[in-house]
Amino acid sequence: MSENLTLDGLAVALRALRLLAVDFSRLPAPDVHVSPVLPDRLELSFHRGLPDFEVWREALGISPDAVVYREQGDGRTRVLKSSVAFAGAALKLTGYGDVCVPEPLGGAA
């Protein structure tokens, strides 16, 4: 990585973002992250639940087997992650959703 990276150095990730905006314009809007630290990576994250992640995963043709499941926040948040090559960029998808906790049997005491 160069200390003098210009905006042109992010061209691969930005080109991928432009193509996604055109080809998938009707899909839910993600949070988008591009960084000079990893200039060829484009990150899309979804914080409003996992359905938006799933819509994008299917649209990009990512197999369910290529998704990694984790929990964070003491098991309160589900996290789905996957990566795919898209238009020369490393495209990383991350989805966050609440873990459904069942009500205790017999109701609250």
Side-chain angles (χ1 to χ4, degrees):
M1 179 185 75
S2 169
E3 286 184 36
N4 298 320
L5 187 70
T6 63
L7 190 58
D8 188 55
L10 300 174
V12 171
L14 294 174
R15 183 178 317 113
L17 179 59
R18 186 181 73 227
L19 290 172
L20 289 172
V22 170
D23 294 344
F24 301 102
S25 63
R26 295 195 182 272
L27 295 185
D31 289 336
V32 176
H33 182 77
V34 176
S35 171
V37 175
L38 297 167
D40 292 342
R41 179 187 282 182
L42 173 62
E43 297 180 22
L44 306 180
S45 58
F46 306 90
H47 296 271
R48 295 177 305 272
L50 300 176
D52 291 351
F53 173 91
E54 284 297 317
V55 167
W56 276 92
R57 181 195 61 74
E58 289 179 15
L60 292 167
I62 299 171
S63 167
D65 295 337
V67 175
V68 175
Y69 175 84
R70 300 265 192 267
E71 291 181 0
Q72 66 184 34
D74 293 328
R76 293 182 314 242
T77 303
R78 295 182 291 173
V79 181
L80 298 180
K81 292 186 177 192
S82 192
S83 298
V84 66
F86 182 82
L91 178 58
K92 180 180 173 188
L93 299 180
T94 306
Y96 301 93
D98 294 334
V99 171
C100 298
V101 179
E103 289 290 323
L105 294 175

